Amino acid sequence: MGHGLHVLLTGASGFVGHELARRLVAQGHRVTALVRGAASAPPDVGILVHALGSGEPLTLPEDVDAVAHLAQSRSYRAFPGDAAEMFAVNVMGAHELLLAAAAARVSRFCMVSSGTVYEPFVEPLEEGGALAPLGNLGATKLASEMLARPYSALFPVSILRLFAPYGPSQTARLIPDLIGRFRRGEPVTLPLSGGGMRFTPTYVDDICDVVLAAIEESWTGTFNVASPEVLSVEEVARAIGAALGAEPRFERKEMNAPSLVPSLTKLGVQYDLSRFRSFADGIAATVASER
């Protein structure tokens, strides 16, 4: 890449988006954050105030090269009460942004989606499989993916389905919940037998590196994005305990233990999977940042 890109970034106030904004700037790119209010923008970026899904006209800066679309509704736990906002932000917002990107003649578009499109998570979780997500989050994210695909006739479109992001400053997700249980002296719940759900916790810096590669290299297509390291909840809890210097406590009860392990074959063709850090290293960095 001979020069920095001008990247229009949505979701810059979110967990992954905030870190991605910092990384883009550090890599020499110019960032304009599309935000609902100027106060929510990260430092060292330009600002475009607009509420995605509002129906208000959206015009991107004329010199924007790329769009990194990470915005999604934060209201997704109270269906059907949150359905209207989910549709407005996740579906209508994507539609508005894609139209504006076409009008601005951007050279690439990266849409960050979610592994929830695979619900009910019947393996194999492969990008080319038929999908019929059961939850509203997965349904609206899949709808936004479908809206984006026709635009690949105008510019390269990459769709990145994230699995289990974690890292410093994250809240209200599994990894910070487990850390909180340790600090409160509460047990971790496991099924009656086995180590519990199997999944792929993925450090936020590694996710940002994949998004950066997709933007800089103009990827086209849909890719699962996850660490190749597969762990159970019990293994994750023991690693957190090691990072905190505490022995985990467990309680067992009757519960499901799904497997949320995506195929990484397509990603491995585009990206060196050995670049993902181990969970032991990632959780040590996470815990150290919060002391």
Side-chain angles (χ1 to χ4, degrees):
M1 185 183 63
H3 64 280
L5 299 168
H6 183 185
V7 181
L8 189 285
L9 173 65
T10 74
S13 63
F15 170 59
V16 177
H18 190 275
E19 178 61 21
L20 179 60
R22 188 187 70 80
R23 299 290 289 279
L24 284 164
V25 171
Q27 291 296 314
H29 302 299
R30 182 157 61 98
V31 178
T32 296
L34 190 154
V35 293
R36 290 185 176 224
S40 63
D44 302 320
V45 304
I47 296 171
L48 174 61
V49 177
H50 178 83
L52 284 174
S54 64
E56 295 294 323
L58 173 60
T59 302
L60 305 188
E62 292 183 357
D63 61 345
V64 164
D65 300 297
V67 173
H69 180 37
L70 279 71
Q72 71 173 41
S73 172
R74 298 185 183 183
S75 301
Y76 60 90
R77 300 179 184 272
F79 181 83
D82 55 20
E85 182 178 351
M86 289 278 283
F87 181 81
V89 176
N90 294 358
V91 183
M92 281 299 299
H95 168 68
E96 292 174 358
L97 188 61
L98 287 158
L99 281 176
R105 299 181 183 274
V106 304
S107 63
R108 62 207 79 178
F109 191 108
C110 178
M111 172 177 284
V112 172
S113 186
S114 165
T116 58
V117 300
Y118 290 108
E119 291 176 312
F121 302 110
V122 177
E123 292 184 320
L125 309 183
E126 296 177 341
E127 294 91 340
L131 300 176
L134 300 178
N136 198 31
L137 175 59
T140 54
K141 296 304 285 185
L142 181 58
S144 68
E145 290 186 13
M146 295 174 68
L147 288 172
R149 288 185 182 123
Y151 286 84
S152 62
L154 304 178
F155 40 72
V157 174
S158 56
I159 297 170
L160 309 181
R161 294 172 176 167
L162 306 190
F163 283 79
Y166 76 95
S169 302
Q170 188 186 41
T171 60
R173 293 293 188 273
L174 177 58
I175 301 300
D177 176 68
L178 291 174
I179 294 172
R181 286 176 177 272
F182 271 90
R183 289 176 169 160
R184 295 189 300 270
E186 299 173 357
V188 175
T189 304
L190 296 176
L192 295 177
S193 63
M197 178 180 71
R198 296 171 65 251
F199 68 119
T200 54
T202 309
Y203 194 63
V204 62
D205 285 9
D206 295 326
I207 289 172
C208 290
D209 284 344
V210 175
V211 178
L212 278 167
I215 294 169
E216 292 176 348
E217 300 168 13
S218 298
W219 291 8
T220 298
T222 301
F223 303 89
N224 293 331
V225 177
S227 166
E229 183 180 15
V230 180
L231 298 172
S232 68
V233 170
E234 180 178 359
E235 290 170 325
V236 165
R238 293 191 183 280
I240 292 172
L244 291 171
E247 190 67 25
R249 294 173 50 218
F250 298 105
E251 62 177 8
R252 293 189 178 271
K253 68 177 185 180
E254 187 172 346
M255 61 186 296
N256 293 325
S259 179
L260 279 62
V261 180
S263 169
L264 299 179
T265 300
K266 281 191 67 177
L267 181 65
V269 173
Q270 292 284 136
Y271 189 84
D272 182 2
L273 299 182
S274 70
R275 293 176 60 183
F276 285 88
R277 72 196 62 200
S278 68
F279 183 72
D281 287 346
I283 199 63
T286 300
V287 169
S289 73
E290 297 173 356
R291 283 178 174 149

